Amino acid sequence: MKRLSPFMIGFLVVAAIAVVFLGMRVESAILIALFFSTLRQTTPLLFTALGGMFSERSGVTNIALEGMILFGAAAAAITVERLEAPMLAADPLSRAAWIPWAGVVAGVLMGGLVATVYAIAVIRYKAEQIVTGTAINLLAAGAPPVLMQALYNTTTNSKEVENRLPVIGVAGESLSPLVFLAFLLVPLCWWVMFKTPWGLRLRAVGEQPEAADTMGVNVYRLRYTAVILSGLLAGLAGAYLSIGFLNQFVKNMSAGQGFIALAALIFGKWHPLGVLGATLLFGFFRALAIQLGGGEVMPSVVVEALPYVLTILVLAGFIGRSRPPAAIGKPYEK
Amino acid sequence: MVRYLLLAVNFVVVLLMALAPWAVLKREFGGVGVLLTPFDLVNPQNLQLPAMNTGWAAPFFWVWVLLVLVASAALFLPDARTRARLLYGVGAVGLLLFVAEAVVFYQTVNAINGPALEAGTSPRRLPLRRFSLSLGAYMGVFFSLGMLILARLQLAGGKAFLVRYRGVVVPLVSLLLASLIGALVVGFIRPGLGAEGKVLPLLDAIATKLDLVTYTFQLLFSPVISVTGWFQSLLLATPLIFTGLAVAFGFRSGLFNIGAPGQLTVGAIAAMLVGVYLPGPGWVTLPLSIAAAAAGGALWGAIPGWLKARFGAHEVINTIMLNYVAASLFLFLIAANEYKFFGTTVRLPFKAEGFEARSNEVQEGSRIPLMLDLLVRDGHLSWAIPLALVLGLVAYYTQRRMDLGRRLLISGGAVLAGYVVGGFLPGPSVELTSALTSSRFNGAFLLAVLALLFYNFYLFRTPGGYELRAVGLAPKAAEYGGVNLRSKTVLAMAISGALAGLAATHYVLGGGIDEYRLKQSLPTSVGFDGIAVALMGQNTPIGISLSALLFGVLLTGGLDLNQQLAVSRELVTVLQALIVLFIAAGGFLPRYFIDPLQAAQVETEARAELEAREKALVGRA
């Protein structure tokens, strides 16, 4: 069970804070709101971290997750806006159920496209992975504003869209279907990673690419697949942010969630269940920061910083040791 | 194979020359202009144009076609030396041809504007304004330079020649590729200049698109032709020099400091604390405030360094995390005056009165003076600081043979002498325009120059720096040689952080964000831009200053671009990102441009080839 300790820590912390809240006789309505808010905040982190897990387990560091989220978010919002514009011009009240899903597909594909560029640079051209990742993040900070200036004459946000993703009502609150998808992906990823031959090869490539190659595994192809997969999922997270959580793209809207996801990945020790625990914990912190606002318990800026501090402590080994895949960050020379 | 590729390139060159505008005769503010192509005058918005000579481009075009044909034929000559000679000739003639074009063009413009100016028309109302040569003419320069390089490649050791200068070749190729993609992006998102809402004939449409792209880059580089532009560019380059040095220092020591934004933030907080609250005369508090900025950055850099040295935690992740922690700390200090922790109220004195989240103002004495106040005394330019800078640098770089102590002593003496002599020299009177006086270009630039010198001096002239570079190149070898890896890691991260922290002096103490205090608009992202600067500058002091200046110019020009063409200034960020991407991928050049071992092999082969040839010559004689 040692491998899952962050998972346990996560729930212990959540439980402890819940007890504190209850001790302060917080109304149950607030607790329920906090619970659902946690689920919503966890979703993009979970998508991104699960994607990042494939990339990093195959031996490719992925600092670029943040940028992939942003590209996905921008693509989703802009696609929806472009698709609905002629329809709204004809009838301002018309809605089409398929349009937001087309936006999701666009976001996912965009994430995959950016990941492909990243993969080609780091796998084919053996570019330094951190530098390349930073370049992708810089690009994600610059390219959407340039496009939005041309489309909407402003660099800060895209036009608000009417066709948002639908929501499913649960216990008086509403959740996007993507929230359910995110949590369903966890057992799926676990199964793929630990119960399929592909998953075994993936882990082998991340630990010992030479050995895997000797056994006939195509290291390059596997890494390409893994990195592109991480981009697809990060793009999905972006689409959730821009047309699920909000109804437009806002400049730098991911606001470091790609890096929090990366932190959750380390915190969760590159394991799907650990990642679930870590993203729930960090999602809870984010939800808490929003709920607390200017509250009595703790300033929200302090709560916001907690995921980062916790990650530093985990990396240093103060709270359980986190060991990355052995071949991470090293280009494979055949 | 390569020959046919070059033939294709030549074809593209001729095609572009035929289609692109060679000159823009006049241009409105929004970019719409009258374009002169070799065979046509493209005037999409039917602007008024005085009668003038527009036929000069066609003859030049035919000469260029001839030159390109000669160059293409030369590629197929059997003898390398003849090939090289011909290509050198083509390149030289091409450059002369461009000069001739420029002369002819400016003469035709003067023929119209000159008389109007004499007749008393104000410079703002001349018949021809914003005229310039354009892509068609520039193609000639690119082609000629390309031919000169190609000629060198024909000769023995040509490949080794390029590989030897790979520190320049890789960034330049990356810059070129990034510019190409940037041009494609602009061409894709904006209609051609003057073509908006119109259906133009195909050739005209192509010409207006090419004009759009050319004008975009002309605007981006436009700051280099005015004093105000230089002021603004140097202003924006100042923090980039600091963060570029910070990242480069990390690279040289084998560490990736991606935490410059956080170190800058903590440096800014420290500078604010000392600058606002330390009482005393300015000559005490200002240096202490600057030192505080460095110390704050050093602390924030040393933490991940220590974590790496002590626990083996990767510095990249930790610096990223610390960036966000610093951002939270920053907000915590300036967003509110009191916070509640589990019901207990904590009071903080740092936030200034009012709605906006900002700190109190730095006291007068702790502010870094504006460059304008340093350079101009009583309406006259003072030579004191420029002369001191130039003499100091010249002394430092010319006295290479001296031992270090004397060299520094002489340089210091030169600075002092320059300052004193320059103070007495009569300077020309300066007209202070509002653009100049409103610029926040300040003395932090001089600190940046000092930081550059420190970087050069410490890394390349001291044992400590030597050890750091050894750690960066081969940590195991360095450790075997007796270097303490752990303490060096902490030290390198601390110095790197201090350099990043010093960037805060520009913003907080120098008023780079319009006010002498901490504000939310503190642009911490320059910490990431530093990565681009360091890569582009290949971690050398001269390279870093040049690339910081380049980005400073582009960012300044980006403002014009935004105003005139409604293209977002973020285009510069895109260019930066692409440059980083391409440099990381080695400019997509062959491996021997990136791998030092393979580069050395290329050199060895070239030397062997030269020796063999000499032997053959001797044998024949």
Side-chain angles (χ1 to χ4, degrees), chain B residues 231-517:
Chain B
F231 251 60
Q232 212 54 29
S233 304
L234 288 174
L235 163 93
L236 291 170
T238 304
L240 290 179
I241 294 176
F242 284 121
T243 54
L245 284 175
V247 177
F249 198 94
F251 276 139
R252 286 280 186 192
S253 333
L255 295 161
F256 197 153
N257 181 9
I258 201 167
Q263 291 142 15
L264 192 161
T265 310
V266 177
I269 292 172
M272 182 274 288
L273 288 179
V274 175
V276 176
Y277 297 103
L278 186 75
W283 59 269
V284 176
T285 56
L286 176 57
L288 283 179
S289 307
I290 293 169
L299 170 73
W300 218 243
I303 294 172
W306 177 74
L307 287 170
K308 178 169 184 152
R310 177 72 181 78
F311 303 103
H314 203 290
E315 80 277 8
V316 167
I317 304 292
N318 277 331
T319 46
I320 292 174
M321 299 301 137
L322 283 171
N323 283 344
Y324 286 96
V325 176
S328 284
L329 182 67
F330 182 77
L331 260 188
F332 180 70
L333 290 180
I334 65 165
N337 282 106
E338 52 175 58
Y339 291 99
K340 285 184 177 147
F341 286 91
F342 299 103
T344 3
T345 309
V346 178
R347 286 188 179 282
L348 293 174
F350 304 114
K351 181 180 178 298
E353 295 283 306
F355 179 70
E356 199 189 342
R358 56 184 193 177
S359 76
N360 289 310
E361 257 195 316
V362 172
Q363 51 190 325
E364 293 274 344
S366 302
R367 293 179 189 175
I368 297 177
L370 291 179
M371 268 315 239
L372 201 62
D373 297 335
L374 293 173
L375 284 175
V376 180
R377 301 244 168 89
D378 314 322
H380 288 270
L381 183 72
S382 154
W383 290 107
I385 286 173
L387 204 64
L389 260 183
V390 169
L391 281 187
L393 285 176
V394 166
Y396 182 74
Y397 276 105
T398 47
Q399 303 299 317
R400 277 169 194 269
R401 295 285 165 79
M402 292 275 183
D403 67 79
L404 206 67
R406 278 194 207 159
R407 194 173 162 190
L408 282 180
L409 211 65
I410 289 177
S411 312
V415 168
L416 208 65
Y419 190 81
V420 172
V421 173
F424 287 111
L425 279 182
S429 79
V430 184
E431 195 196 345
L432 293 177
T433 57
S434 65
L436 274 182
T437 47
S438 66
S439 169
R440 313 296 306 184
F441 182 40
N442 58 63
F445 174 71
L446 299 177
L447 287 180
V449 175
L450 282 181
L452 275 166
L453 289 178
F454 163 79
Y455 179 89
N456 183 22
F457 179 76
Y458 182 75
L459 271 184
F460 299 96
R461 295 285 177 273
T462 66
Y466 176 81
E467 287 178 2
L468 276 187
R469 284 185 298 129
V471 172
L473 287 172
K476 291 214 172 113
E479 190 171 30
Y480 187 71
V483 179
N484 184 342
L485 279 192
R486 291 186 167 192
S487 67
K488 284 292 166 193
T489 304
V490 182
L491 178 72
M493 281 304 290
I495 294 179
S496 173
L499 287 167
L502 278 172
T505 58
H506 167 74
Y507 293 116
V508 181
L509 305 175
I513 38 176
D514 297 331
E515 286 176 80
Y516 295 88
R517 52 172 124 213

Side-chain angles (χ1 to χ4, degrees), chain A residues 228-278:
Chain A
I228 292 172
L229 195 60
S230 78
L232 295 174
L233 283 173
L236 186 57
Y240 171 77
L241 287 179
S242 68
I243 58 175
F245 195 71
L246 286 182
N247 57 353
Q248 62 179 164
F249 175 77
V250 182
K251 187 183 171 187
N252 284 336
M253 75 184 306
S254 59
Q257 290 190 59
F259 291 125
I260 299 194
L262 203 64
L265 193 55
I266 298 161
F267 203 85
K269 306 193 173 178
W270 291 271
H271 189 284
L273 294 181
V275 164
L276 174 66

